[in-house]
């Protein structure tokens, strides 16, 4: 176990960085569902070679964010609302586990970093940040920080995958979902529970957040 959940970020490969950049575009619908994904164009836009981009795309295909068809090309997957229940079933089990582990395992450095994120959350969600896209990125940053603090790379990778799929659904309906800032602000008590080292409270808050997300989506479809 390292001394901080943020340790090792400087060791990222170009493929890791390409994955993060392309993943964010896919999740926030910067690349729309069904849109072609051209490795050469993306490599030029990101300033990377085609090899790390291709490696990133292979990973994104296993995560169901893109799909490749022989002789047709590669495309962003469609957002399937029918998958919401399946995604929620997984997240309802694993999000509380991650929150509980984070509360138990967070180091002092982690708690300081989560405290900074809590301050940012209070400020940006109250102000509405720069709009829906910025609030989505803030929401993702909170989730990623909590997952990293579990110090379980398998759990972290699994939750990132399912959070990405859930966030795509959220982004698809963002213009119809009321109270986006309030939904993001719900992470405040969860961060505080982790910082305070209260695993039971953290788990309960995480479970409630997942249930609330699914209910909000189902309320408009």
């Amino acid at each position: 176990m390292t001394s901080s959940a943020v340790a090792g970020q400087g060791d990222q490969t170009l493929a890791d960085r390409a994955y993060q950049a392309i993943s964010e575009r896919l999740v926030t619908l910067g690349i729309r569902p069904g849109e072609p994904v051209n490795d050469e164009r993306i490599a030029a836009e990101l300033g990377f070679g085609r090899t790390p981009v291709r490696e990133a795309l292979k990973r994104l295909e296993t995560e169901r964010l893109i799909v490749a068809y022989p002789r047709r090309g590669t495309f962003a997957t469609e957002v399937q609302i029918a998958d919401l229940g399946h995604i929620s079933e997984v997240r309802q089990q694993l999000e509380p586990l991650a929150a509980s582990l984070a509360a138990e395992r967070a180091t002092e450095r982690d708690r300081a970093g989560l405290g900074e994120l809590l301050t940012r959350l209070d400020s940006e969600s109250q102000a509405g940040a720069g709009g829906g896209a910025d609030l989505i990125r803030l929401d993702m940053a909170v989730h990623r920080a909590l997952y990293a603090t579990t110090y379980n790379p398998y759990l972290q990778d699994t939750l990132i995958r399912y959070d990405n799929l859930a966030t795509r659904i959220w982004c698809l309906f963002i213009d119809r979902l009321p109270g986006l800032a309030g939904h993001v602000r719900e992470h405040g008590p969860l961060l505080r529970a982790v910082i305070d080292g209260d695993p039971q409270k953290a788990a309960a808050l995480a479970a409630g957040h997942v249930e609330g997300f699914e209910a909000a989506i189902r309320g408009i479809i």
Side-chain angles (χ1 to χ4, degrees):
M1 188 178 297
T2 59
S3 61
S4 170
V6 298
Q9 289 183 352
D11 298 328
Q12 287 183 330
T13 66
L14 285 177
D16 291 332
R17 290 166 55 194
Y19 164 80
Q20 290 181 350
I22 302 167
S23 175
E24 180 176 309
R25 293 187 186 186
L26 290 163
V27 170
T28 61
L29 306 190
I31 300 175
R32 300 291 300 178
E35 184 177 329
V37 179
N38 182 282
D39 61 345
E40 185 174 4
R41 185 188 67 195
I42 290 177
E45 291 173 353
L46 296 178
F48 295 151
R50 292 179 71 179
T51 297
V53 169
R54 285 175 175 172
E55 290 178 12
L57 293 178
K58 288 179 182 177
R59 181 176 172 186
L60 290 163
E61 187 172 12
T62 67
E63 296 180 0
R64 300 188 180 186
L65 290 175
I66 64 171
V67 60
Y69 298 104
R71 296 181 297 278
R72 285 184 55 198
T74 301
F75 301 84
T77 55
E78 298 291 345
V79 176
Q80 301 294 340
I81 304 306
D83 289 340
L84 177 62
H86 301 307
I87 293 167
S88 294
E89 281 181 350
V90 176
R91 296 182 70 225
Q92 284 166 0
Q93 297 300 314
L94 297 187
E95 289 280 357
L97 172 62
S100 176
L101 291 176
E104 293 173 353
R105 297 176 176 178
T107 66
E108 287 304 313
R109 185 177 175 186
D110 292 329
R111 295 182 202 283
L114 293 173
E116 293 174 2
L117 195 54
L118 179 58
T119 300
R120 178 184 164 196
L121 185 73
D122 289 340
S123 173
E124 294 186 21
S125 63
Q126 290 286 353
D134 285 341
L135 285 171
I136 290 289
R137 293 187 183 94
L138 178 57
D139 180 86
M140 292 171 65
V142 171
H143 280 278
R144 301 303 185 269
L146 290 172
Y147 302 158
T149 308
T150 68
Y151 290 98
N152 182 327
Y154 301 99
L155 178 61
Q156 181 180 0
D157 287 348
T158 300
L159 276 170
I160 287 174
R161 174 176 175 174
Y162 283 94
D163 184 61
N164 282 343
L165 295 173
T167 302
R168 288 188 90 211
I169 294 174
W170 192 10
C171 289
L172 189 66
F173 293 102
I174 194 169
D175 293 335
R176 296 167 56 190
L177 282 168
L180 174 60
H183 178 82
V184 176
R185 200 157 48 239
E186 287 179 6
H187 290 306
L190 173 56
L191 285 172
R192 174 51 59 192
V194 172
I195 292 168
D196 291 344
D198 189 337
Q200 291 185 336
K201 184 174 182 180
L205 289 167
H209 185 74
V210 174
E211 292 169 4
F213 169 80
E214 182 177 10
I217 298 295
R218 292 200 180 281
I220 60 171
I221 60 176

